[in-house]
Amino acid sequence: MKKGTVPFSEGELLERARELGGYTLGELGEALGVAVPESAARAKGMAGQLLEKMLGATAASRAEPDFVGLGIELKTIPLDATGKPKESTFVCSISLSAMADTDWERSTVWKKLRKVLFVPVEAASKTPLRDRRVGRAFMWTPNADEKRRLRADWERLASMIAAGDVEQITGHLGDVLQVRPKAASGRSLRRAPDEEGAVQWTMPRGFYLRPSFTENVLARLRRPE
Amino acid sequence: MKKGTVPFSEGELLERARELGGYTLGELGEALGVAVPESAARAKGMAGQLLEKMLGATAASRAEPDFVGLGIELKTIPLDATGKPKESTFVCSISLSAMADTDWERSTVWKKLRKVLFVPVEAASKTPLRDRRVGRAFMWTPNADEKRRLRADWERLASMIAAGDVEQITGHLGDVLQVRPKAASGRSLRRAPDEEGAVQWTMPRGFYLRPSFTENVLARLRRPE
DNA sequence: CAGGATCCACTATTGGATCCCG
DNA sequence: CGGGATCCAATAGTGGATCCTG
């Protein structure tokens, strides 16, 4: 297993990601000198972080793509026993101020999703975290239909946010893209509005892709042309 | 409320059904001299039977349309609080012998569904049976797409039945039309195969329309052309 | 028993809540 | 906290079981 060096091309990145297919997360952890616990409950982001390190992603938390020079975002997708995505996919956090005066083409969501390296990872909850295997990686660029659906949802949600109807947004809205809480605890900022009185988030939220959407995307990518 | 006389035309039937819109099942019961209980649990088919009587359906149990002369089947559809069908819609029972050598156009399913008078009835379970209101009736003839989907499901299911794979059929099969048990009790015929040894139903079953299908049908009918 | 259906236990989905790391 | 995500209680959906009448 090659590890940690920064890839210089999209092709090299995809090739290297595919070489990781078949390894378990425990094996990746060994290669990196990272202990992989038994349970995912106390190590929620670990699969993603192991793959970032293995593939040489530009480290640290940023509002930029993981592979800056290539404009490519890395996303792991947890698959259940039947091969379908178990969970929604986090896209980015929502900043109220950034929403107001931006359009779809300049939005953080679109920047993140223009080009994504999807790496499926086994995630049947009975399988210990370290025994879960990496699947076959795919490079995704939204096609016309996918882009239209993402944009339609984003514009609906963005206009609600801009209009101050943030508290009316629930995870039910959006066919493929949804808004949901994103915080370590539901109490994170809950007192803020009372004390400040300003138009502010009462709680951090993020954009997520629904599992049914990533399922369709994976199905399309797996189909030979 | 006019009641009980046999309608002579499709238009007259629809008109008369629409005049029942807004009445409660309790009111229909009074007009007919039938006691309507509080709960639907012990009166499951009552809404359908009240409407049959009010509209002058050719009485009794038959494998014929309710309005023989017109070739029209009457179906009540229970709606939940949000206006969506709560339940699947029974179409007809399945007879093994009748399946083998018949095709779609001659099938009982198609005969029943060629032309249907759908009468929605409120059915939020908290609402007492006699307080549930009749909704706006619609005459349905499957359009090309609906007919294609019904036929595709029927042919798949019919061929399984004809091939003797009856026991492998579950309610999961069929996009719009499904096969499910249809009996007063699960024990109805359960001992039969052991004692007789013949190729026979172990339990009566019927064809049903899925709620998602009738929901789409109602949505189409409600849309002004 | 066939026809009129609804009940309800169980499963699948989901979306609000939460966890770790740098 | 922002980025990496998963957990899991509650709800929605489904399909096997059941009920009444003629």
Side-chain angles (χ1 to χ4, degrees):
Chain A
M1 273 186 288
K2 201 167 167 186
K3 68 181 179 193
T5 56
V6 178
F8 289 103
S9 74
E10 176 177 332
E12 186 194 339
L13 176 57
L14 179 58
E15 186 182 347
R16 206 188 290 176
R18 288 198 168 163
E19 285 169 1
L20 297 179
Y23 287 104
T24 65
L25 297 182
E27 288 166 342
L28 301 192
E30 282 175 30
L32 293 165
V34 172
V36 178
E38 173 91 8
S39 157
R42 295 303 176 112
K44 294 191 179 176
M46 177 152 286
Q49 287 159 9
L50 290 173
L51 280 150
E52 281 183 348
K53 285 180 185 158
M54 287 304 296
L55 295 173
T58 318
S61 299
R62 289 156 164 265
E64 294 180 337
D66 297 301
F67 300 93
V68 176
L70 302 173
I72 295 173
E73 178 75 12
L74 172 66
K75 289 290 174 200
T76 59
I77 303 197
L79 302 184
D80 67 17
T82 70
K84 296 194 315 182
K86 276 187 72 173
E87 301 287 351
S88 54
T89 300
F90 174 66
V91 180
C92 59
S93 294
I94 298 181
S95 140
L96 179 53
S97 54
M99 295 298 297
D101 53 7
T102 210
D103 59 4
W104 165 246
E105 295 287 349
R106 298 177 205 283
S107 69
T108 308
V109 171
W110 177 238
K111 283 181 198 159
K112 288 270 189 183
L113 298 184
R114 257 185 313 213
K115 189 165 283 189
V116 178
L117 178 64
F118 275 125
V119 184
V121 176
E122 282 185 326
S125 41
K126 59 166 194 183
T127 307
L129 186 58
R130 59 172 150 267
D131 295 337
R132 298 183 186 177
R133 288 184 189 280
V134 177
R136 178 175 174 86
F138 293 97
M139 196 67 71
W140 175 57
T141 296
N143 67 16
D145 185 57
E146 288 159 351
K147 186 173 174 182
R148 182 183 52 69
R149 296 162 76 191
L150 288 165
R151 179 179 186 147
D153 284 343
W154 184 88
E155 293 185 336
R156 164 97 194 275
L157 294 164
S159 68
M160 291 183 70
I161 294 168
D165 296 336
V166 167
E167 296 302 332
Q168 274 59 57
I169 296 180
T170 79
H172 296 277
L173 296 173
D175 289 335
V176 302
L177 186 71
Q178 64 178 170
V179 168
R180 285 169 40 203
K182 177 70 169 97
S185 160
R187 295 185 176 185
S188 294
L189 292 176
R190 201 157 268 172
R191 292 183 176 178
D194 298 338
E195 299 177 14
E196 303 188 358
V199 178
Q200 272 299 341
W201 286 100
T202 56
M203 192 169 46
R205 298 170 203 229
F207 284 111
Y208 293 77
L209 301 179
R210 291 187 183 277
S212 57
F213 181 67
T214 50
E215 179 181 359
N216 289 338
V217 167
L218 282 182
R220 176 168 76 78
L221 296 177
R222 284 167 176 157
R223 260 196 307 274
E225 308 282 316
Chain B
M1 272 186 290
K2 201 169 167 185
K3 65 180 182 192
T5 56
V6 178
F8 289 103
S9 74
E10 176 177 334
E12 185 194 341
L13 175 58
L14 179 58
E15 186 182 349
R16 204 190 289 177
R18 288 200 166 160
E19 286 169 0
L20 297 180
Y23 287 105
T24 64
L25 297 183
E27 290 167 341
L28 300 193
E30 283 176 29
L32 293 165
V34 172
V36 178
E38 172 92 8
S39 158
R42 295 303 177 110
K44 294 190 181 177
M46 177 152 286
Q49 285 158 9
L50 290 173
L51 279 151
E52 281 183 347
K53 284 180 186 157
M54 288 304 296
L55 295 173
T58 318
S61 300
R62 287 158 167 265
E64 293 180 337
D66 296 303
F67 301 93
V68 176
L70 302 173
I72 295 172
E73 178 75 12
L74 172 66
K75 289 290 175 198
T76 59
I77 302 198
L79 302 184
D80 68 17
T82 70
K84 296 194 314 182
K86 279 186 69 174
E87 300 287 352
S88 54
T89 300
F90 174 66
V91 179
C92 60
S93 295
I94 299 181
S95 139
L96 179 54
S97 53
M99 295 297 297
D101 52 6
T102 210
D103 58 5
W104 166 246
E105 296 286 350
R106 297 176 204 284
S107 69
T108 308
V109 170
W110 177 239
K111 283 181 198 159
K112 288 271 188 181
L113 297 184
R114 257 185 312 215
K115 188 164 284 189
V116 178
L117 178 65
F118 275 125
V119 184
V121 176
E122 281 185 329
S125 41
K126 60 167 193 180
T127 307
L129 187 59
R130 60 173 149 264
D131 295 337
R132 298 183 185 177
R133 287 184 189 282
V134 177
R136 179 175 174 85
F138 293 98
M139 196 66 72
W140 175 58
T141 296
N143 66 17
D145 184 58
E146 289 159 350
K147 186 172 174 182
R148 182 183 51 69
R149 296 162 76 191
L150 288 166
R151 179 178 185 150
D153 284 343
W154 184 88
E155 292 185 336
R156 163 95 193 276
L157 293 164
S159 68
M160 289 182 71
I161 295 168
D165 297 334
V166 166
E167 296 301 333
Q168 274 60 57
I169 296 181
T170 80
H172 296 278
L173 296 174
D175 289 335
V176 302
L177 187 70
Q178 63 179 172
V179 167
R180 286 172 35 207
K182 177 71 168 94
S185 159
R187 295 187 176 184
S188 293
L189 293 175
R190 203 158 265 172
R191 292 184 176 177
D194 298 339
E195 300 179 13
E196 304 190 358
V199 177
Q200 273 298 338
W201 287 98
T202 55
M203 193 168 45
R205 298 171 203 225
F207 284 111
Y208 293 79
L209 301 178
R210 292 186 182 278
S212 58
F213 181 67
T214 50
E215 179 181 359
N216 289 337
V217 166
L218 281 183
R220 175 168 79 77
L221 295 177
R222 284 166 176 159
R223 260 195 309 276
E225 310 281 318

